[in-house]
Amino acid sequence: MKKSTKKISLLLLALCTLCLTACTASPAPTDETYDDFILVGFSQVGAESDWRNANTKSMQAALSEENGYRLIIDDAQQKQERQITAIRNFIHQGVDYIILAPTTEKGWDTVLLEAKAAGIPVIIVDRMIESEDDTLFTSWIGSDFRKEANTAVRWMEQHFGSKPLRIVHLQGNIGSSAQIGRTEGLDAGLQNNPSWQLVYRDTGDFTQAKGQELVEALLADGLEFDLIFAENDNMAYGAIDALKNAGLTPGRDVTIISFDANRAALEMVITGEIAYDVECNPLHGPRVQKIIEKLEKGEATPKLTFVEESAFDADTITREMMDSRGY
Ligand code: AHR
């Protein structure tokens, strides 16, 4: 696609700027024209986790003005309606590309058909959408969340065998690919291991505050459990704070399984507070940049790309791995 040589009215950009949150927003434009820049609208889920913030930063660094891009980021605060509005604004502004990190899988057909009708390629990152029509997006790049959960369950099987295991499950935002895949993986583990028992399950929306709140409430109710399966690091941090505040020792009294493998969480793997952390890699910026570069040259891009991911426990992690972590 040809570089953008269109005029963007200050009014439209001002409208868009209103939608941005302070932490993720690109600076408000000062020029009336953006000739020669590739104009990209990125509809981001929110700022619910450290993973998410690392993902936003990665996009900002790769799709920077130095690299020839003008990036507009809209923070949807985990609300799909906001993402739909953001995409419509991007279409109205005549962006060259739309990047979508979808909050949930369902409900995208109408707005993505509008983007298609406007001739704007859509690149989906991180999570997936559920649609019969795969022409609604050009390329997708992200994680295999079900595989991540299978990896965690395998570790649990190796470490607990057929011992009784009372599990507390903290889910991410319901309906997101990350929640669906990780929950399906745990459910399969529960089916295959009759000695495991799910004693509690609720959503902590991928946030630290909610993770802590849920575990505090369980402890106040006197629920007994052996393991917390937290669908991301931030909920694990919240759970760890709740356990510590109640005088328990995470890693000794309760085993914590987590996802993302942020740097701070890997520190906790080293200290033993988190037993096992499965990586979910947020550094999609350069990957998306490569896709756009190919599209600019008229080259084909892969429809689906799964990112390679790893997992860490105290036996396999090294300080070098932790220190070289980019997020
Ligand atoms: O979709 C990726 C998930 O979303 C990450 O595990 C979580 O931290 C984030 O909010």
Side-chain angles (χ1 to χ4, degrees), residues 6-202:
K6 64 185 69 61
K7 286 203 173 215
I8 302 153
S9 83
L10 279 174
L11 176 66
L12 288 173
L13 281 167
L15 269 177
C16 170
T17 306
L18 275 178
C19 305
L20 303 177
T21 61
C23 58
T24 58
S26 305
T30 49
D31 262 336
E32 200 169 326
T33 59
Y34 288 96
D35 291 3
D36 300 330
F37 283 104
I38 298 172
L39 186 61
V40 179
F42 174 30
S43 172
Q44 175 60 296
V45 168
E48 74 283 2
S49 63
D50 294 346
W51 187 102
R52 189 64 53 198
N53 295 335
N55 178 247
T56 300
K57 279 192 191 140
S58 171
M59 293 292 187
Q60 285 170 322
L63 306 181
S64 63
E65 291 199 357
E66 299 78 69
N67 291 339
Y69 294 88
R70 177 83 207 168
L71 178 65
I72 309 166
I73 303 180
D74 185 279
D75 175 338
Q77 296 170 31
Q78 298 221 72
K79 304 236 172 357
Q80 187 183 35
E81 318 84 75
R82 284 179 182 253
Q83 292 203 285
I84 291 172
T85 304
I87 292 171
R88 292 206 167 112
N89 283 337
F90 294 152
I91 295 170
H92 206 47
Q93 287 167 276
V95 299
D96 297 305
Y97 297 91
I98 290 173
I99 305 172
L100 168 64
T103 43
T104 50
E105 291 195 345
K106 293 187 181 172
W108 296 103
D109 283 36
T110 306
V111 74
L112 293 188
L113 265 175
E114 292 168 26
K116 187 180 168 186
I120 303 172
V122 173
I123 300 164
I124 300 184
V125 292
D126 166 25
R127 304 165 179 183
M128 198 16 131
I129 60 162
E130 189 187 299
S131 173
E132 306 256 290
D133 183 356
D134 77 351
T135 67
L136 293 181
F137 65 95
T138 304
S139 284
W140 170 88
I141 185 143
S143 302
D144 186 338
F145 300 106
R146 173 65 196 263
K147 189 173 163 197
E148 289 174 358
N150 293 345
T151 304
V153 164
R154 231 180 358 260
W155 185 93
M156 287 159 62
E157 288 171 342
Q158 281 158 7
H159 283 75
F160 296 100
S162 55
K163 283 189 201 141
L165 195 61
R166 294 162 299 180
I167 301 172
V168 163
H169 181 194
L170 305 180
Q171 295 175 292
N173 74 285
I174 302 298
S176 65
S177 309
Q179 175 273 315
I180 294 170
R182 291 170 188 164
T183 297
E184 281 176 359
L186 177 60
D187 281 347
L190 284 160
Q191 265 202 335
N192 296 333
N193 294 277
S195 61
W196 296 3
Q197 191 196 354
L198 184 68
V199 292
Y200 178 85
R201 166 178 280 171
D202 201 353

